Amino acid sequence: QITLRESGPALVKPTETLTLTCTFSGFSLSYSGVAVGWFRQPPGKALEWLALVYWDDDKKYSPSLRTRVSITKGSSNHVVLTMNNMNRVDTGTYYCAYFVPEPVSGYYLGDVWGQGALVTVSS
Amino acid sequence: DIVLTQSPGTLSLSPGQRATLSCRASQTLSSNYLAWYQQKPGQAPRLLIYGASNRATGIPDRFTGRGSGTDFTLTISRLEPEDFAVYYCHQYGGLSPYSFGRGTRLDI
């Protein structure tokens, strides 16, 4: 069974750097074809994709956040997201997800998600 | 970037009724890389449909995805109480970054 869990600070101050960890089980990021990504969701608003890291350490970022976000493979079952220069509009729930190529098109799709971590940006 | 427009914003129905949710893409999704997620309050999104029309593992057959090109629909044939949630369409392919629609809220 694949599970993911996000952890990190619930409160950060404006201009600080956010560091979130995704801890997962049921798969390894060493397995060929696997990826882990991050999304976020401001309160009451839609989902937004942030970043993705593949088993081979290839990475993709949202163009709108590319200068502020970094994704890193940790140990065999951790992925870390950092986002610098946090501000109030970055408040929301941050999710990590297990990605695999879906069988029809082969494009990567978030199949299993963690429960999310609420991050509030406030002084 | 591909923009997804969902309609209606809110749909009010009763258990047993049929729900039809729409999603229009600003560009053609040539390989139908369109998915639907269900999200209940306080929960993570759950994958329902991928490739426009394929049900994910464990999804009941009352959920049906259709469409191609730029116009897609999600139909729930007979609403169950647990189906009342927010539904997002999501494109995940090509050269564009991943994107989501703003969601359709399905209310009792």
Side-chain angles (χ1 to χ4, degrees), chain B residues 3 8-10 22-23 27 31 38 42 46 48-49 53-55 57 59 71 73-74 76 79 83 87 89-90 98 107:
Chain B
V3 175
T10 302
S22 295
C23 177
Q27 303 173 31
S31 297
Q38 176 194 67
R46 173 193 181 197
L48 300 175
I49 300 287
S53 61
N54 302 276
R55 277 185 288 273
T57 303
I59 302 304
D71 291 301
T73 59
L74 173 70
I76 311 170
L79 286 166
D83 298 335
Y87 292 83
C89 61
H90 168 55
Y98 293 98
D107 279 345

Side-chain angles (χ1 to χ4, degrees), chain B residues 5-100:
Chain B
T5 302
Q6 290 188 244
S7 61
T10 302
L11 188 57
S12 297
L13 294 170
S14 300
Q17 289 190 296
R18 179 187 187 94
T20 301
L21 289 63
S22 295
C23 177
R24 175 165 289 178
S26 61
Q27 303 173 31
T28 296
L29 306 185
S30 55
S31 297
N32 290 339
Y33 33 83
L34 191 285
W36 291 91
Y37 287 91
Q38 176 194 67
Q39 188 177 32
K40 297 179 181 179
Q43 296 187 19
R46 173 193 181 197
L47 179 64
L48 300 175
I49 300 287
Y50 64 89
S53 61
N54 302 276
R55 277 185 288 273
T57 303
I59 302 304
D61 61 7
R62 65 180 182 273
F63 291 90
T64 302
R66 292 189 178 92
S68 64
T70 61
D71 291 301
F72 301 87
T73 59
L74 173 70
T75 300
I76 311 170
S77 57
R78 292 175 310 280
L79 286 166
E80 299 285 345
E82 62 266 27
D83 298 335
F84 292 91
V86 180
Y87 292 83
Y88 294 97
C89 61
H90 168 55
Q91 70 81 21
Y92 54 92
L95 298 177
S96 293
Y98 293 98
S99 60
F100 292 85

Side-chain angles (χ1 to χ4, degrees), chain A residues 84-96:
Chain A
N84 61 29
N85 196 24
M86 294 288 286
N87 60 67
R88 286 181 174 79
V89 298
D90 297 313
T91 292
T93 299
Y94 287 71
Y95 297 97
C96 63

Side-chain angles (χ1 to χ4, degrees), chain A residues 5-70:
Chain A
R5 179 173 52 86
E6 305 84 356
S7 59
L11 180 67
V12 297
K13 292 182 169 55
T15 75
E16 287 186 341
T17 294
L18 171 69
T19 300
L20 292 172
T21 300
C22 177
T23 304
F24 51 84
S25 63
F27 68 97
S28 171
L29 205 40
S30 302
Y31 296 165
S32 177
V34 170
V36 171
W38 287 89
F39 299 90
R40 69 178 179 180
Q41 186 173 37
K45 295 189 177 179
L47 294 153
E48 178 183 21
W49 169 67
L50 303 177
L52 185 63
V53 61
Y54 296 87
W55 84 99
D56 60 358
D57 210 31
D58 190 17
K59 298 168 187 178
K60 289 188 177 178
Y61 294 97
S62 166
S64 64
L65 290 166
R66 190 168 188 13
T67 59
R68 297 178 53 210
V69 171
S70 176

